[in-house]
Amino acid sequence: MELTKYTHATVVLEQDGTTLVIDPGVFTPEAADLVGAAAGVLITHEHADHFDVEAVRAGLAANDALVVRAPGAVVEQLGDHDGRVRAVHAGDAFEIGTFSVQVFGEEHAVIHRDVPTIANVGYLVDGTVFHPGDAYLEPGVPVQTLLLPTSGPWTSTAAAVDYVRSVAPERAVQIHEAMLSELGQQSTARFLGSDGLGPVPVLILPAGESITV
């Protein structure tokens, strides 16, 4: 499987001719093009940095084979498109092309007691790559590649260290980095990685670059 990192939370997985896009948000300039070329789109929650509603609507209109899986609030904005857009919850499992996907979790991390908590799910793809959305969400199953959020109004270095230790992935790849400078990304990766307090290195993958997982 090839994993390509785009700006902030957007990740593209490719395998055996099938392309899966996770969290095409408004911070990702290529979001519409990525969605238009995909077999499936997975959305963790409704915040705009994870869900560019216009990009996904355009993809659904242009490609009648495209399917979308997301929490109910996202489905409400998109409509069901003859069943191609479906709500998911913790415990669900499904296939898109050659990919198998498991769903975990229910809620976004707390930002502040005055900010209502919304639905947030995480996706484990092919038992290999885990995208937690905006939460330190522990799937409770082995994870090879953890997509690790490193910035945002809900993040915490201390909590992130404990999160990586608990999930214990084989590797971690930084996502959700848009609020950090380059220096901040490097510093955070050291804290969370094996040179700091974490169990494995944290890979900083520039937007548009790929690794095989």
Side-chain angles (χ1 to χ4, degrees):
M1 184 193 309
E2 184 173 75
L3 182 157
T4 304
K5 167 76 172 62
Y6 288 89
T7 305
H8 202 54
T10 305
V11 172
V12 174
L13 303 175
E14 296 179 83
Q15 177 177 263
D16 299 330
T18 300
T19 300
L20 199 61
V21 179
I22 308 177
D23 279 3
V26 297
F27 293 173
T28 303
E30 309 93 340
D33 291 338
L34 296 175
V35 170
V41 174
L42 307 178
I43 298 169
T44 62
H45 64 287
E46 64 192 279
H47 286 162
D49 56 328
H50 295 253
F51 171 42
D52 183 338
V53 61
E54 296 305 327
V56 179
R57 282 176 177 160
L60 287 163
N63 179 3
D64 60 10
L66 177 67
V67 299
V68 178
R69 302 292 181 262
V74 171
V75 176
E76 289 175 5
Q77 294 184 57
L78 294 173
D80 71 358
H81 288 263
D82 297 321
R84 292 191 290 136
V85 181
R86 295 182 183 174
V88 294
H89 306 86
D92 288 347
F94 53 89
E95 295 183 355
I96 297 177
T98 60
F99 290 105
S100 61
V101 183
Q102 296 170 269
V103 184
F104 296 85
E106 291 292 349
E107 290 190 341
H108 192 287
V110 174
I111 296 173
H112 188 273
R113 63 180 178 272
D114 292 344
V115 179
T117 301
I118 64 170
N120 177 94
V121 298
Y123 297 102
L124 180 64
V125 180
D126 276 5
T128 299
V129 177
F130 186 63
H131 194 310
D134 276 6
Y136 294 127
L137 175 56
E138 299 176 21
V141 297
V143 171
Q144 292 183 22
T145 300
L146 173 65
L147 302 176
L148 178 63
T150 58
S151 77
W154 59 273
T155 59
S156 156
T157 298
V161 170
D162 290 342
Y163 177 57
V164 180
R165 288 177 176 179
S166 181
V167 175
E170 294 181 13
R171 68 175 68 83
V173 177
Q174 174 186 244
I175 62 168
H176 215 268
E177 78 292 344
M179 294 182 182
L180 293 176
S181 67
E182 182 177 350
L183 179 61
Q185 292 182 43
Q186 296 289 342
S187 176
T188 300
R190 283 195 296 273
F191 267 113
L192 303 183
S194 54
D195 290 337
L197 299 170
V200 295
V202 175
L203 175 63
I204 296 176
L205 193 62
E209 292 198 8
S210 304
I211 56 171
T212 300
V213 296

